[in-house]
Amino acid sequence: MAFINLQNLTYKYPLTKTPALQNINLQIDKGEFISVIGANGAGKSTLCYALAGFVPHFFKGEISGEIEVDGIASSKSTLDEWVVNVGLAFQNPFNQISGAKYTVFEEIAFGLENIGVPREQMKSRVEEAMKLTGISNLADRSPYSLSGGQQQRVALTSILVMQPKLLVLDEPTSQMDPIGTREVFEVIHNLTQSGMTVVMVEHKVEWIAHFANRVIALKDGSIFMEGKPSDVLTSDLLIENGFGVSRYTSVAREAKKQGLWKKEKLPVTLFEAAEGFKE
Amino acid sequence: MHERLSFHIKRDSAIHRLNPLTKLTLVLTLILLAFLTPWYWTPHILAVIFIPILSVIGKVAKEYFTTALKLILPAATFLFIMQAVFQPIGEEIIFHFYFLDVTQESLMFAFRNAMRIIVMVSAFTLFLLTTHPSELMSDLTRRGLPGQFAYVMISTLQILPQMQAKAQTIISAQRSRGLDTESTFLKRAGSIFPLVGPLVFGSLAEVEERAIAIEARGFTSKQVKTSFHEIPDSSNDKILRWSLLFLILVSIVLNLWHS
Ligand SMILES: Nc1ncnc2c1ncn2[C@@H]1O[C@H](COP(=O)(O)OP(=O)(O)OP(=O)(O)O)[C@@H](O)[C@H]1O
Ligand SMILES: [Mg+2]
């Protein structure tokens, strides 16, 4: 059976009329790198919350259907048990700083202290995680003194250090520069190679095309399209429904109309575009 | 923006090595002694001799004296003058200034009170200089203070300056749209209103996100929490704490007995 299993999941926030998630069916295997795209309000964050246990354990409201991770149903678990297996990092890094710690090192150790990891293991785990995300040099800085991009790395590291089986990331690179974004994608890619499963909301489609195994396109709370990045991100249907696509896709699409793009398939990345135009 | 938002200065000294609770007990003892002992000169000796010596032992003398000169002394002086002038006690008038009489009693009284305040503030200053806030929090939670309570305490200390900075940003933003925050008091009171929205409602959504973030990091886990900082608590600490408590008790008894 799949590692993650969402079955007919429908969810409505309290006091709202339309469901934020509608009849979601989704199976994800262990070690997959899934990317979620969609317009504002499509339900991406809500999907993240559902996977991470915050829907329905933190946000109340009406829920139906099943959420299962690693054979355990979310409805049969409690939030504090759930977060040990499923890590969540989201967009605004400032609000993810605990505020209880004075250095980046302590900030990253915060989660380990909470779940009772012995002190002897703590140091090496924190150091290892910081090395992985390339922030070892920030260890003694105050988390509040960092740039947005650096804070996002700290937020990501603070979750990674807890070694979740499923990592849920809601726009984790929004404040990072291109180099930072690339590095984060590479780190996550490597983690999936060693068996971690990752679901990541992200708009940077070129990186998705490069690294993700599968793309889920959400629209109005439902799965609109799903499949390999090279298929989904170049589909006409997606473009016509207002999803953002890569500029190389847009250019090649125009070029195709004028007979300048000969290939059947549209490109997503610069490399694919260059290859295609060579022909 | 300060790199560090706490007073704590990382050094290795006998006082740094004390358990946070022991230090807290010491602070409490100093304050109670200053206020309770019947002997007139107790607060003076604590303020002028004992606490400065502690700051030297704690290797934070320089920082301590800077704070004392810049902050504690001016405040205490102000208090001293106010009390000396406005305290209507005693007969023997030393000098006269319009309708104000300064008597020897009021001078003595004000002097002691100023010293008491100095003891209180400087004992806390010393505490903050030599105690790591995370250590304090971990130690108190270990002793049974609810985790949530400790968290609120310490995060408020950290987040307040952030809130202040944010309020400043909002004010600048509103002012650049023509909001008046600099004229008369009444006008200003009225114009402060538009600031409340972003600060409070911004904060509510933020509070929710913050809650999610710390929850995601196992904050409400039922496991026994561990702490990265090794917190010292030697047998010396325990002996010292009990002695201090005894001292407090003695001063209370002496105080009751004398009055
Ligand atoms: N706490 C909440 N209470 C009520 N309704 C909410 C809440 N959070 C989100 N919603 C609603 O649920 C729907 C989905 O929101 P969600 O935040 O999941 O969208 P999103 O795809 O993450 O959007 P964005 O790109 O802006 O982050 C929206 O209609 C939104 O208004
Ligand atoms: Mg969102």
Side-chain angles (χ1 to χ4, degrees), chain A residues 213-274:
Chain A
N213 302 118
R214 189 154 40 126
V215 178
I216 313 264
L218 283 184
K219 186 167 190 277
D220 301 329
S222 305
I223 295 180
F224 178 76
M225 198 181 277
E226 164 182 12
K228 269 182 24 202
S230 55
D231 296 337
V232 173
L233 295 172
T234 54
S235 102
D236 284 335
L237 198 58
L238 198 82
I239 299 168
E240 281 150 18
N241 275 276
F243 285 85
V245 291
S246 135
R247 61 188 130 167
Y248 307 111
T249 315
S250 310
V251 168
R253 197 163 177 258
E254 272 318 298
K256 194 174 179 184
K257 280 182 195 160
Q258 303 182 14
L260 296 167
W261 180 264
K262 307 277 175 357
K263 274 182 152 182
E264 178 58 34
K265 198 160 191 161
L266 293 175
V268 182
T269 62
L270 173 62
F271 180 75
E272 288 167 359

Side-chain angles (χ1 to χ4, degrees), chain A residues 49 54 58-59 78-80 83 88 90 92 94-103 105-119 122-123 140-142 144-145 158-159 162, chain B residues 1-6 132-134 137-138 151 154-159 162 205-231:
Chain A
Y49 287 143
F54 289 88
F58 182 90
F59 293 100
T78 59
L79 191 51
D80 66 290
V83 297
L88 169 71
F90 46 88
N92 185 342
F94 182 72
N95 289 339
Q96 290 176 82
I97 296 172
S98 73
K101 299 294 174 188
Y102 287 82
T103 66
F105 192 102
E106 295 169 4
E107 176 68 25
I108 295 166
F110 179 70
L112 299 182
E113 294 180 324
N114 286 334
I115 57 172
V117 172
R119 177 179 301 134
M122 230 183 258
K123 191 160 187 282
D140 294 323
R141 298 270 300 270
S142 157
Y144 284 111
S145 72
S158 302
I159 288 300
M162 297 178 75
Chain B
M1 191 89 240
H2 293 292
E3 173 68 7
R4 284 177 154 268
L5 293 165
S6 73
H132 194 294
S134 310
M137 171 162 120
S138 305
Y151 176 78
I154 195 136
S155 61
T156 311
L157 276 180
Q158 269 228 25
I159 286 163
Q162 311 296 325
E206 274 166 28
V207 165
E208 191 177 79
E209 268 197 12
R210 239 175 243 289
I212 293 172
I214 60 168
E215 193 87 53
R217 289 158 74 190
F219 187 64
T220 55
S221 163
K222 290 175 195 77
Q223 300 289 327
V224 177
K225 288 189 203 303
T226 47
S227 138
F228 174 68
H229 284 280
E230 208 160 350
I231 301 160

Side-chain angles (χ1 to χ4, degrees), chain B residues 44-173:
Chain B
H44 306 70
I45 289 175
L46 291 181
V48 181
I49 301 174
F50 194 69
I51 296 180
I53 289 178
L54 282 184
S55 80
V56 174
I57 298 176
K59 297 187 184 159
V60 288
K62 196 171 135 247
E63 291 81 2
Y64 169 75
F65 282 110
T66 320
T67 323
L69 286 179
K70 274 201 201 139
L71 204 79
I72 308 175
L73 213 57
T77 312
F78 175 75
L79 204 87
F80 171 69
I81 294 172
M82 294 307 282
Q83 289 208 324
V85 169
F86 289 112
Q87 201 50 233
I89 51 169
E91 311 282 294
E92 199 178 322
I93 291 167
I94 298 179
F95 64 84
H96 195 78
F97 186 72
Y98 294 103
F99 61 97
L100 300 168
D101 297 330
V102 175
T103 67
Q104 195 187 348
E105 279 89 343
S106 66
L107 266 187
M108 295 276 282
F109 177 86
F111 193 46
R112 184 172 66 178
N113 272 1
M115 283 299 172
R116 281 174 171 169
I117 297 300
I118 291 181
V119 170
M120 195 156 94
V121 181
S122 55
F124 265 114
T125 308
L126 203 58
F127 176 73
L128 292 176
L129 285 173
T130 58
T131 313
H132 194 294
S134 310
E135 248 172 66
L136 174 66
M137 171 162 120
S138 305
D139 192 51
L140 293 183
T141 18
R142 197 183 54 181
R143 292 178 198 278
L145 182 79
Q148 278 86 342
F149 186 78
Y151 176 78
V152 168
M153 232 166 61
I154 195 136
S155 61
T156 311
L157 276 180
Q158 269 228 25
I159 286 163
L160 272 178
Q162 311 296 325
M163 286 275 281
Q164 234 167 17
K166 199 176 122 192
Q168 204 50 53
T169 316
I170 297 174
I171 289 176
S172 320

